[in-house]
Amino acid sequence: MKQKVSFASVISVRGFKFLWINQVLVQLAINTLNFSLLIWVYKLTGSNFAVAALFFAVYLPSLLFGLFAGVLVDLSDKKKIIYMMDLLFAIAFLAFIPIKGIYPLILLNAFIINCGSQFFVPAESSSIPQLVPKEKLFVANSLFTLTLYGSFMLGFAVAGPILNFWGINAIFYLGSALLFIAFLLSQNLPSIKVAQKNIKQALLPFVLDEIKDTFKFIRSKLNVFTAIALMAGVQGMIGVLGVIMPGYMESVLHIHATDASYVLIIPLGLGMILGALVLGKLFRGKSRRSVVIPAMIASGILLFSMGIAPF
């Protein structure tokens, strides 16, 4: 009888265990920072435009480096990328302390951190198939997804209380400590490198060819293009909501922005869990189109209703 693959059996794989712990520590630190910076920048400037510029600094690296970062990662030892980025992030967190009152430098440091993320994230995610046996791959990916959302929820949930009781410096010290621990633990990862033909003398043409092939594939697959367009639209909407969130809570709802950890994140987490349960129970076997389109229309109606509703 075939033994059932569990989370415990996946974590028992030594290389994956250290990769997973690294993911938890890094994602927890970065999500706590992201929420804290939203609140801090609004408190510092009192401007929604300043918060929008922070979002721009966070998302611009994905436009600049997203296309070829994955290609470059595949040509390198992913272990080296992971521990180098862990150390870079730890230093960048500490760098926020002397510049926390200088808005342009906050943007610059946030931009640098997210530039590193463009190389860190594909290095981490593409390492899973090389560390985990094929029969455990599905469970390993599920565990990574679970901890990704879990660290998002936990990071956003603890950021507000930390800001209220210990101030912004505590976020930077705590995040740097988590990232330095991740750096030390990542030394236990094995070398993670895919055998490549010798292309060092023609690196740029190789990268450009890979990018062209990617665009060609997307253009030839309407469903892939549609999925990417929908994801881009949803991410854009989330960005807009993130920009207006601090000002809306304080100016309209008269709630301290730091209290969003309680009044926003808890309902958000419950909604995500309930949505996942409903999706799995009631919509299993349904076409993706019949689920995604009504869900997006319903979300739009809810947002519109929220905008026109009395206080």
Side-chain angles (χ1 to χ4, degrees):
M1 185 176 177
K2 189 175 180 180
Q3 189 175 6
K4 186 179 180 180
V5 179
S6 63
F7 284 154
S9 67
V10 173
I11 296 174
S12 67
V13 179
R14 189 175 187 275
F16 178 81
K17 175 174 65 177
F18 287 106
L19 184 72
W20 176 67
I21 294 173
N22 190 276
Q23 184 218 24
V24 172
L25 294 174
V26 172
Q27 290 296 333
L28 183 58
I30 289 181
N31 282 306
T32 305
L33 174 73
N34 286 340
F35 183 86
S36 301
L37 285 182
L38 280 178
I39 306 302
W40 180 253
V41 165
Y42 182 77
K43 294 284 190 183
L44 188 66
T45 64
S47 168
N48 285 329
F49 179 80
V51 178
L54 176 65
F55 264 84
F56 185 74
V58 168
Y59 285 107
L60 181 59
S62 63
L63 297 176
L64 296 178
F65 304 109
L67 285 174
F68 62 85
V71 178
L72 294 179
V73 163
D74 282 340
L75 302 178
S76 310
D77 187 342
K78 297 179 181 66
K79 173 185 176 179
K80 293 180 179 179
I81 293 177
I82 290 170
Y83 73 67
M84 286 172 62
M85 289 302 154
D86 287 342
L87 185 59
L88 171 67
F89 292 153
I91 295 171
F93 268 59
L94 291 178
F96 273 116
I97 296 172
I99 66 169
K100 64 184 179 183
I102 308 173
Y103 173 65
L105 293 183
I106 292 175
L107 293 185
L108 178 61
N109 204 25
F111 176 78
I112 292 171
I113 290 174
N114 284 279
C115 284
S117 295
Q118 298 308 309
F119 297 89
F120 176 83
V121 172
E124 202 174 45
S125 58
S126 63
S127 297
I128 300 175
Q130 295 174 255
L131 296 175
V132 178
K134 188 175 181 181
E135 64 273 11
K136 296 182 178 181
L137 188 56
F138 178 80
V139 175
N141 284 320
S142 299
L143 181 59
F144 244 61
T145 303
L146 178 65
T147 51
L148 178 67
Y149 288 115
S151 61
F152 166 80
M153 298 300 303
L154 182 59
F156 275 44
V158 302
I162 292 174
L163 281 171
N164 280 333
F165 291 105
W166 294 287
I168 191 68
N169 280 355
I171 299 291
F172 304 141
Y173 284 123
L174 175 63
S176 184
L178 292 176
L179 291 162
F180 190 70
I181 293 171
F183 166 73
L184 295 176
L185 293 177
S186 64
Q187 308 302 312
N188 294 290
L189 288 169
S191 179
I192 311 170
K193 189 173 182 180
V194 178
Q196 296 281 350
K197 59 184 180 181
N198 187 15
I199 57 169
K200 291 183 178 180
Q201 295 179 349
L203 180 59
L204 182 59
F206 175 80
V207 173
L208 292 177
D209 286 342
E210 290 291 307
I211 293 173
K212 289 178 182 177
D213 289 343
T214 300
F215 275 116
K216 188 182 296 183
F217 173 77
I218 293 173
R219 285 199 307 267
S220 64
K221 301 286 186 179
L222 182 60
N223 56 344
V224 174
F225 175 81
T226 303
I228 292 173
L230 288 174
M231 285 296 294
V234 170
Q235 289 296 322
M237 181 194 71
I238 291 172
V240 171
L241 293 176
V243 166
I244 66 172
M245 183 269 293
Y248 181 78
M249 291 192 67
E250 297 210 341
S251 301
V252 179
L253 301 181
H254 306 294
I255 299 171
H256 290 297
T258 50
D259 292 339
S261 290
Y262 316 110
V263 300
L264 178 65
I265 300 306
I266 292 176
L268 178 63
L270 293 175
M272 291 171 66
I273 294 170
L274 180 62
L277 292 174
V278 170
L279 189 68
K281 293 290 185 181
L282 301 183
F283 295 96
R284 184 180 300 172
K286 299 282 186 178
S287 69
R288 291 170 177 82
R289 180 183 299 177
S290 66
V291 176
V292 171
I293 293 177
M296 295 187 72
I297 293 173
S299 298
I301 293 172
L302 287 171
L303 285 172
F304 181 80
S305 302
M306 186 173 159
I308 64 173
F311 173 79

